Amino acid sequence: MKQKKQLAVLVVLLLTAGVIWFLYFDRDRPIVTADAGSATQNPPLLSVENPQLHTDRLKRARETEYKSTGRNIFSLTPPPPPQPPPTPTPEPTDIAPPPPPPPPTLPLKFFGYGTVPNGSARRAFFTDGEEVHVVAEGELLLNRFRILKVGNASLEFEEVSSGRRGTAILEEQGAPPS
């Protein structure tokens, strides 16, 4: 019984294969299309005012350069927002730089200098009218001014807070009133 079933299935399969062969691989039949008559007629021509090529447009299209907007065309993320154009800053015209600050002045009167016999640095003598200050080269005067160099007729000093330099001239004292 088992062999009879197998033989019946084989016959059914062979018949199915034969029908498929007959329907799809039969080359003797002519090919029929749905609207064969309209293919033989000439289609109407398009009305073109100037049939010449537009070479100027072709040249312009070939010379254009690609300018990226910054967006990746292969991703679904939206493009970045456009950046506003930079606003030009108006350049000031004819504005001179501020003048340099005036050199510092000493609030005391420089009235003399002296040296110690053993060859140490010169010392400058200052007065504010009542009190006398004696300061050597390199020392601070009133915690504001550093004495740089004591000369015969002038004195060089530096304001400690700003670093500005100045000079003071040796002032002669008049003769005391008699």
Side-chain angles (χ1 to χ4, degrees), residues 29-138:
R29 286 203 258 163
I31 299 173
V32 179
T33 59
D35 193 10
S38 64
T40 58
Q41 298 174 358
N42 290 335
L45 297 176
L46 299 175
S47 62
V48 177
E49 295 175 10
N50 187 357
Q52 293 180 350
L53 292 176
H54 297 283
T55 55
D56 57 337
R57 289 184 187 174
L58 287 173
K59 183 179 177 184
R60 236 182 313 148
R62 287 181 182 145
E63 291 176 351
T64 57
E65 290 185 25
Y66 174 71
K67 295 178 182 171
S68 173
T69 60
R71 180 175 182 248
N72 183 358
I73 61 171
F74 298 105
S75 94
L76 296 176
T77 59
Q83 296 179 354
T87 57
T89 56
E91 294 184 15
T93 56
D94 299 336
I95 296 177
T105 57
L106 287 175
L108 303 175
K109 180 179 174 184
F110 172 53
F111 70 90
Y113 64 92
T115 57
V116 178
N118 64 3
S120 64
R122 285 184 155 186
R123 298 182 186 269
F125 305 125
F126 300 95
T127 182
D128 61 355
E130 297 178 4
E131 190 174 339
V132 175
H133 301 274
V134 179
V135 182
E137 290 179 346

